[in-house]
Amino acid sequence: MRIILKEYLASLKERGDLDKSVLPNLLAEIGLRVLNTPMIGTRQNGVDIAAVGKIRGEDDERCLYLFCIKAGNITRRDWDSGVQAVRPELNEIRDVYLRTNVAAEHAGLPVRIILCCGGELDETVLMNWAGYSTQNESDRVKYQEWNGDRLADLMMRSLLARELLEEAPRRNFQKAIAMVNEPSACYDYSRAFLSEILEDGLEPSIQLFRLRQAYICLNAVTTWAIEADNLESIYTVSELGVLLCWNMVRAQPRRRRPNKHDQDLSVLFDQFIKLYLACSERYLTKTAFGHSNSLHALSTSVRSREAVDVNLALFELLGRLAIRGCWTAMLSQTFTVEEPEFANALTDSTHRVLDTIVQLVNSNPTLNSPFKDDHMIEIALVMYLAQITGSTPRFLPWLGSIAQQTTLALVINSHYPTCFRDYSDLLNHPISAEGSYRAEACSGSVLYPYLFVWLERVATVDEKKAFVERLGKFLPNCTHQAWLPDEETDVHIWRGETYHGVCVTDLSPQQGFEEVAETINAAIQNCTDINEISAVKSGLVVLFLAACRHYRLPIPPHFWLIDS
């Protein structure tokens, strides 16, 4: 475990990995109170992180800790100049920070100036460091070096120690690290150790500790997956982390005035979201953003002769794009007043996602013909994003094309949407043109009712008539339905349990639009438990939608047609 952690720390090269993600959580666990963390665009006077307190098991008195943090190894060329210049920042701490930035309540405390790096001090720079620290030490000010070994020891002792990270999660964490080249295995092991660390019913006193454990472990997995160039794993496990973190945060009582525990939980949840956003940006930059405008480029990149593989991969990518756009659209509204520049950047990101989705659909015709009935999830997320951004007209032709292609596929008996989920069933579908087979393959549908509702806005009278007649002829016994949350959904959905919710089944297009709309509206009015979903109550509708996509639950009709 110590070797894994040391290599992980040494690999943290990008700004924000060590100073914003790992070290603040570690310092909080070893007994220090973090006073500030780095902010982009502001002068730090040499200090990346300031903290005060006593390190458990080491300090006899409270000290003021001032950290100068560098990524990876520190070499001789980093001592005086370059991006990682060390001595100029140490001079600033001594000449500026200690004279002007120390609060009065900490003015009399002993000072520990820490040169911190995820790797090691190169042999060529050790003499420089020894000479500098000896020359500038005093009775009050002492210098220390915290390298990867020191940080790994602290993490083992405080966050990931054998007696704290128990055997089962420790083994699954190590397996997740070992399997970063295999996305499905990495996800399964990551889900196992995260679920074990973030178990239900924890006392408030250990919730923060467990969340920090989970965040550090998740950071390690994503970092190693990036090193292995496995972007699939970093996306799936980072999104999973957000959902499981919220499962713990949501259980906290809502107070008018949040206490320190509530605030700390909120900060940790923000860190999980930031990790997900960073991972999704890296994933989409490598995939959709770079190649969506090239005809068949992403379809070809699936590297499979099977049409089902291409279809599944492209719809998965579409859903991830849509939920990313929903996140940035929501966050841009959150930061409009407090940080207008950041809000504008998020708005630009949302527009980029919308443009990419249009390009993706235009360049990959398979997205007009969903092979799975639950691809309704991806289609509904795209249309929800379009509605909240006022972009609906851009996607109506695509929606009309899907309605036409899915029913035409029934006529020619070729890859019409099925409720089968097993890969071998999808690979061989359809194996027969008999009505009995279609009745089994399409025993229920959430896709056709969703398309039927939208066709009222999209299609001509003849197109709607053809849609209804084809369904009536080829799927006379299909149960057209919708899913809505119930009172147990908020308890189960965040961990991926799917046996909850209410199913409305009387949505056959043969009844006509008015009756279907009346049934849906009645269900929405009578099934009000969605308003009790913790994420919805907290203004995080996108988190609920992300959980639906992640765990393959249909998007409820509350989000089918909204006022944009």
Side-chain angles (χ1 to χ4, degrees):
M1 175 74 86
R2 186 175 178 279
I3 294 173
I4 290 174
L5 292 176
K6 184 179 176 182
E7 292 189 12
Y8 156 62
L9 290 164
S11 68
L12 297 179
K13 302 183 187 304
E14 297 191 11
R15 177 175 176 79
D17 286 342
L18 185 58
D19 54 2
K20 288 188 178 181
S21 301
V22 177
L23 201 55
N25 289 316
L26 178 59
L27 296 179
E29 285 303 325
I30 63 177
L32 302 182
R33 178 166 64 91
V34 177
L35 302 176
N36 70 279
T37 55
M39 295 182 64
I40 297 174
T42 61
R43 183 173 177 180
Q44 306 294 323
N45 293 326
V47 175
D48 293 302
I49 295 179
V52 66
K54 295 191 290 186
I55 297 178
R56 295 192 193 96
E58 294 185 10
D59 294 336
D60 296 324
E61 57 182 341
R62 294 175 75 239
C63 297
L64 176 64
Y65 284 87
L66 307 176
F67 289 86
C68 176
I69 302 172
K70 303 299 173 185
N73 296 325
I74 297 176
T75 64
R76 177 62 183 273
R77 64 175 176 271
D78 299 320
W79 181 251
D80 281 302
S81 60
V83 179
Q84 290 219 115
V86 173
R87 185 160 68 173
E89 293 196 15
L90 294 176
N91 288 339
E92 278 200 87
I93 296 175
R94 184 193 64 199
D95 299 337
V96 182
Y97 192 95
L98 289 177
R99 296 183 181 184
T100 61
N101 289 61
V102 178
E105 60 183 307
H106 305 137
L109 295 178
V111 177
R112 301 291 181 264
I113 298 176
I114 312 295
L115 177 57
C116 179
C117 64
E120 299 177 345
L121 262 67
D122 195 80
E123 185 177 351
T124 58
V125 81
L126 285 176
M127 295 300 293
N128 299 75
W129 165 246
Y132 184 94
S133 57
T134 301
Q135 181 180 355
N136 292 286
E137 276 189 350
S138 65
D139 292 338
R140 179 179 173 233
V141 178
K142 303 293 183 185
Y143 288 82
Q144 296 179 4
E145 172 203 350
W146 286 21
N147 58 20
D149 283 312
R150 165 72 165 159
L151 294 175
D153 286 339
L154 288 173
M155 290 171 70
M156 286 289 293
R157 192 176 75 195
S158 301
L159 278 169
L160 303 174
R162 180 178 296 272
E163 65 273 14
L164 297 177
L165 191 61
E166 297 176 356
E167 183 176 0
R170 186 176 71 254
R171 285 183 176 178
N172 285 319
F173 168 59
Q174 291 171 328
K175 289 176 181 176
I177 291 289
M179 299 298 290
V180 290
N181 281 314
E182 298 292 334
S184 59
C186 182
Y187 175 84
D188 290 341
Y189 288 126
S190 296
R191 183 173 179 178
F193 80 73
L194 287 171
S195 298
E196 289 159 348
I197 293 174
L198 303 178
E199 58 185 322
D200 292 328
L202 294 175
E203 294 293 328
S205 58
I206 63 172
Q207 286 176 343
L208 288 173
F209 170 74
R210 288 293 188 88
L211 279 171
R212 290 185 179 117
Q213 274 188 325
Y215 183 75
I216 293 294
C217 290
L218 193 60
N219 240 304
V221 172
T222 56
T223 300
W224 278 62
I226 290 171
E227 290 290 321
D229 198 27
N230 180 4
L231 300 185
E232 176 70 16
S233 288
I234 69 169
Y235 184 92
T236 55
V237 301
S238 62
E239 185 174 61
L240 175 67
V242 173
L243 300 177
L244 293 179
C245 176
W246 178 256
N247 185 53
M248 183 169 289
V249 172
R250 71 170 181 84
Q252 302 309 302
R254 298 173 66 86
R255 302 179 178 90
R256 283 188 176 181
R257 296 182 179 179
N259 57 26
K260 187 177 185 303
H261 177 77
D262 298 335
Q263 293 171 354
D264 289 342
L265 280 179
S266 179
V267 168
L268 276 167
F269 180 60
D270 287 346
Q271 290 180 332
F272 275 88
I273 291 178
K274 289 176 181 176
L275 178 63
Y276 161 73
L277 291 176
C279 289
S280 64
E281 176 71 16
R282 183 184 288 269
Y283 169 83
L284 293 172
T285 298
K286 185 74 176 291
T287 54
F289 293 153
H291 306 285
S292 61
N293 204 25
S294 300
L295 185 63
H296 302 304
L298 288 167
S299 297
T300 304
S301 70
V302 178
R303 296 182 180 178
S304 174
R305 295 181 180 181
E306 300 295 341
V308 65
D309 292 330
V310 177
N311 192 263
L312 295 179
L314 267 293
F315 268 97
E316 181 68 30
L317 180 60
L318 182 69
R320 293 176 183 182
L321 268 170
I323 204 67
R324 164 79 185 194
C326 291
W327 272 110
T328 53
M330 180 204 73
L331 292 173
S332 66
Q333 296 298 317
T334 303
F335 291 100
T336 298
V337 177
E338 297 177 0
E339 300 181 45
E341 290 186 4
F342 183 48
N344 290 336
L346 289 170
T347 300
D348 291 342
S349 178
T350 305
H351 291 321
R352 184 188 186 191
V353 166
L354 287 166
D355 292 342
T356 302
I357 291 175
V358 172
Q359 294 169 357
L360 183 68
V361 170
N362 290 338
S363 301
N364 299 275
T366 188
L367 290 174
N368 293 306
S369 304
F371 285 11
K372 290 174 62 182
D373 188 76
D374 70 0
H375 281 157
M376 170 269 187
I377 299 169
E378 284 74 28
I379 297 167
L381 286 175
V382 170
M383 296 310 298
Y384 177 77
L385 174 61
Q387 291 177 90
I388 64 176
T389 56
S391 306
T392 307
R394 301 180 70 181
F395 297 94
L396 293 181
W398 172 61
L399 205 62
S401 177
I402 291 175
Q404 181 183 14
Q405 294 292 336
T406 51
T407 52
L408 181 61
L410 288 168
V411 176
I412 64 176
N413 195 44
S414 173
H415 292 304
Y416 50 84
T418 173
C419 58
F420 293 150
R421 292 193 178 188
D422 186 78
Y423 178 74
S424 62
D425 291 333
L426 292 171
L427 192 62
N428 296 314
H429 172 74
I431 59 174
S432 171
E434 297 295 326
S436 58
Y437 173 78
R438 283 196 303 273
E440 179 185 1
C442 302
S443 56
S445 175
V446 292
L447 174 62
Y448 289 123
Y450 178 82
L451 294 174
F452 181 64
V453 168
W454 270 100
L455 280 180
E456 189 66 20
R457 290 189 178 186
V458 176
T460 65
V461 173
D462 289 341
E463 288 170 339
K464 287 184 283 188
K465 182 179 178 181
F467 181 84
V468 173
E469 287 179 349
R470 288 171 178 174
L471 289 180
K473 179 178 180 180
F474 291 97
L475 300 178
N477 299 316
C478 177
T479 303
H480 299 280
Q481 56 195 305
W483 177 85
L484 297 89
D486 65 7
E487 66 276 5
E488 296 184 352
T489 296
D490 196 44
V491 177
H492 299 301
I493 190 172
W494 310 111
R495 285 187 169 272
E497 298 176 26
T498 55
Y499 291 100
H500 53 84
V502 176
C503 184
V504 179
T505 59
D506 196 16
L507 300 180
S508 174
Q510 276 72 40
Q511 299 183 48
F513 176 78
E514 291 184 1
E515 284 201 30
V516 170
E518 184 179 347
T519 302
I520 291 175
N521 288 332
I524 291 174
Q525 292 172 6
N526 293 323
C527 302
T528 59
D529 291 305
I530 193 168
N531 299 317
E532 299 304 314
I533 299 290
S534 56
V536 175
K537 290 172 68 175
S538 299
L540 294 170
V541 170
V542 62
L543 188 61
F544 171 72
L545 296 176
C548 289
R549 193 202 68 82
H550 191 92
Y551 296 122
R552 308 310 296 167
L553 287 168
I555 304 300
H558 308 75
F559 306 102
W560 290 10
L561 288 171
I562 63 174
D563 295 326
S564 55

